[in-house]
């Protein structure tokens, strides 16, 4: 009898303890916030200099070599233009690199660009690389008359020129997967077929200089300049590590 009473008392205590505990329901996708999502430790602690070592080595060799290469690898055109006429020490200081997650997926892209000085400086980006299928490849490449600059919303300002009558301004973003560049909007000038002195402004979202497949707008050249100014107001400066500190 005492044994049965003891068992009853133990069960009663356990029941009271269970009733006094409140169990929090699991988060559903709709309730999950950015603060609840954690990036895997392997991504946060990634050694990006090691991940992009082959690409960084290639750019470093391009800058530091005294020999003219017979070919230009993807992503190297802007670098070669930037270091033309500079000695080795100057060239290694003029070009730099950094790592930045441009898509929000927790993995950083490699950015190669001109080492600027100060906020809002139009320091062009020469190339942006990402990793896919264990390989590094170029997403965008900037060069003379075809440059990209990072903006404060993570998109890129594109400025291009094909001569006095041909100017282009665009805004681009990286795809969610970070493997391609998507055009948000692109404006370009093109002269009238019968009056070369009259310029029209065309618009598209393909990023192509093709007036036949673009919208002919009523915008003026002042409007065109205002679009550029508004985008330039969003320029952010990148803290690049000069290649003089790479090795």
């Amino acid at each position: 009898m005492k044994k049965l009473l003891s068992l009853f008392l133990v069960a009663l205590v356990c029941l009271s303890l269970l009733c006094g505990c409140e169990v929090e329901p699991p988060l559903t996708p709709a309730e999950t916030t950015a603060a609840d999502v954690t990036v895997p430790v392997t991504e946060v602690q990634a050694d990006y200099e090691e991940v992009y070592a082959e690409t960084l080595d290639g750019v470093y060799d391009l800058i530091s070599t005294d020999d003219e290469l017979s070919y230009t690898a993807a992503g190297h055109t802007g670098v070669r233009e930037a270091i033309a006429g500079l000695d080795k020490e100057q060239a290694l200081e003029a070009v730099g690199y950094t790592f930045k997650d441009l898509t929000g997926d927790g993995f950083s892209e490699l950015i190669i660009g001109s080492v600027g000085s100060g906020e809002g400086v139009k320091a062009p980006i020469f190339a942006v690389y990402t990793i896919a299928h264990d390989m590094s490849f170029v997403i965008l490449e900037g060069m003379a008359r075809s440059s990209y600059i990072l903006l404060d919303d993570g998109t890129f300002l594109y400025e291009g020129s094909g001569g006095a009558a041909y100017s282009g301004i665009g805004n681009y973003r990286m795809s969610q997967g970070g493997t391609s560049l998507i055009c948000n909007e692109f404006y370009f000038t093109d002269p009238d077929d019968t009056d070369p002195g009259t310029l029209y402004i065309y618009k598209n979202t393909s990023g192509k200089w093709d007036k036949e497949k673009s919208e002919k707008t009523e915008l003026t050249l002042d409007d065109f300049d205002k679009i550029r100014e508004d985008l330039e107001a969003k320029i952010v400066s990148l803290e690049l590590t000069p290649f003089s500190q790479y090795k």
Side-chain angles (χ1 to χ4, degrees):
M1 182 70 179
K2 290 182 179 179
K3 184 175 181 181
L4 290 173
L5 181 60
S6 298
L7 290 173
F8 174 78
L9 291 174
V10 169
L12 184 62
V13 171
C14 292
L15 180 61
S16 64
L17 289 174
L18 288 173
C19 292
C21 296
E22 294 184 2
V23 180
E24 293 291 336
L27 288 174
T28 64
E31 295 172 323
T32 303
T33 65
D36 302 315
V37 181
T38 56
V39 178
V41 174
T42 53
E43 293 183 349
V44 174
Q45 298 179 345
D47 183 348
Y48 289 111
E49 284 201 357
E50 180 177 345
V51 171
Y52 290 100
E54 184 175 352
T55 299
L56 288 167
D57 287 345
V59 177
Y60 180 87
D61 291 343
L62 171 65
I63 298 172
S64 61
T65 184
D66 293 326
D67 299 324
E68 285 291 332
L69 300 179
S70 58
Y71 70 96
T72 299
H76 286 188
T77 301
V79 175
R80 297 190 72 168
E81 292 175 343
I83 64 176
L86 301 180
D87 61 33
K88 178 180 177 179
E89 291 185 359
Q90 292 173 326
L92 289 172
E93 288 291 336
V95 181
Y97 65 94
T98 191
F99 308 101
K100 189 175 181 64
D101 180 5
L102 298 171
T103 61
D105 63 358
F107 192 86
S108 291
E109 283 70 38
L110 166 63
I111 301 175
I112 306 293
S114 174
V115 178
S117 56
E119 292 291 332
V121 174
K122 294 175 64 174
I125 293 172
F126 300 139
V128 174
Y129 298 83
T130 193
I131 299 291
H133 306 296
D134 298 322
M135 293 180 63
S136 171
F137 69 94
V138 180
I139 301 173
L140 69 79
E141 180 172 11
M143 61 195 75
R145 296 194 173 192
S146 183
S147 64
Y148 292 91
I149 303 175
L150 185 65
L151 304 181
D152 60 11
D153 59 0
T155 64
F156 297 92
L157 161 63
Y158 169 80
E159 293 185 273
S161 175
Y166 304 92
S167 296
I169 305 168
N171 181 242
Y172 289 76
R173 72 183 189 277
M174 289 182 60
S175 65
Q176 188 61 40
T179 57
S180 63
L181 198 62
I182 300 173
C183 178
N184 292 326
E185 56 182 4
F186 179 60
Y187 299 87
F188 65 95
T189 61
D190 199 284
D192 182 82
D193 292 334
T194 58
D195 181 12
T198 300
L199 299 181
Y200 293 108
I201 298 169
Y202 294 83
K203 176 184 178 181
N204 63 50
T205 56
S206 67
K208 297 181 179 180
W209 301 66
D210 186 348
K211 66 180 182 181
E212 300 302 326
K213 297 181 179 180
S214 304
E215 174 191 349
K216 184 178 180 181
T217 74
E218 299 296 326
L219 297 173
T220 66
L221 291 178
D222 287 339
D223 295 328
F224 187 75
D225 290 337
K226 183 64 166 55
I227 294 171
R228 176 190 287 109
E229 291 170 3
D230 288 345
L231 288 171
E232 289 179 344
K234 299 167 64 178
I235 290 175
V236 293
S237 59
L238 287 169
E239 295 185 7
L240 302 182
T241 300
F243 270 92
S244 58
Q245 299 178 26
Y246 178 58
K247 290 186 177 182

